[in-house]
Amino acid sequence: LNMALTLAEMGAYDQAAQEASALEAREPTTPERLSLGVRGKLANAHAELGKKYHELGMYAEAIAEYDMALRLCPNFPDIHNRRAVSCRELGQFPEAQVSLLKALELKPNYVEAYVNLGVLHQKLGNLAEAVKSWERALELDPKHKLARIYLKQATARRPASV
């Protein structure tokens, strides 16, 4: 376990995941038996590996890593948010929405989740819902650049009311 944690802290996420898997194989341990700190570190290692997979366009692998992280620490809203973005990239829109709503349930003022929810609504053709999400993001963080850009683009396309 110490080896897995050390490797994760060094940024060797693949090796850390291998060590954690080897540990599980040797001793049947449920995530609940590990201390919260250990679970958090392992979850973050899986999340970082998921982020790397996402950056490489390997979205299914990213989702698998995020799922492992969430199995260890299901109440990390940032991991739910990242998982949603990978799901969205794969076209798994219902799963993406579930993950975003969970992130917002855990952290109601989570600006990035609102921005990503807006993008998801836009992809689904729900422009009015997308606008609401981006407006909410801007209520929480008036200087959020992406939310401003998305909202401006969305409202520029709207036909003027007569």
Side-chain angles (χ1 to χ4, degrees):
L1 181 60
N2 286 334
M3 176 66 84
L5 293 174
T6 301
L7 288 167
E9 287 177 6
M10 292 172 44
Y13 303 111
D14 286 329
Q15 291 172 310
Q18 288 173 351
E19 284 294 324
S21 295
L23 177 65
E24 284 181 8
R26 284 193 304 266
E27 182 181 324
T29 303
T30 60
E32 297 78 30
R33 286 187 50 202
L34 300 173
S35 73
L36 183 58
V38 170
R39 286 195 322 246
K41 286 182 180 184
L42 288 172
N44 284 329
H46 282 294
E48 280 302 311
L49 185 55
K51 182 178 175 184
K52 300 286 184 211
Y53 279 128
H54 182 90
E55 290 168 356
L56 293 169
M58 299 171 70
Y59 306 119
E61 290 81 358
I63 293 166
E65 289 298 326
Y66 294 139
D67 286 343
M68 285 193 277
L70 291 168
R71 189 173 140 243
L72 292 162
C73 291
N75 294 327
F76 282 14
D78 60 316
I79 299 174
H80 286 284
N81 183 58
R82 288 188 203 174
R83 183 184 188 282
V85 174
S86 292
C87 287
R88 184 186 72 211
E89 292 300 319
L90 277 180
Q92 297 174 352
F93 301 138
E95 279 196 56
Q97 186 167 11
V98 167
S99 290
L100 287 169
L101 294 176
K102 182 64 177 179
L104 289 168
E105 175 188 319
L106 293 168
K107 185 177 177 183
N109 293 332
Y110 193 6
V111 175
E112 293 304 318
Y114 278 109
V115 172
N116 286 321
L117 186 59
V119 172
L120 180 62
H121 281 305
Q122 183 181 38
K123 284 196 173 286
L124 292 170
N126 302 329
L127 193 58
E129 290 300 315
V131 167
K132 285 181 190 176
S133 294
W134 294 323
E135 286 174 341
R136 179 65 179 136
L138 288 171
E139 285 174 19
L140 297 168
D141 179 3
K143 295 181 181 182
H144 195 283
K145 290 181 183 180
L146 270 180
R148 288 173 156 263
I149 290 168
Y150 289 143
L151 184 60
K152 187 173 183 175
Q153 288 174 342
T155 55
R157 287 189 235 159
R158 282 181 149 174
S161 25
V162 183

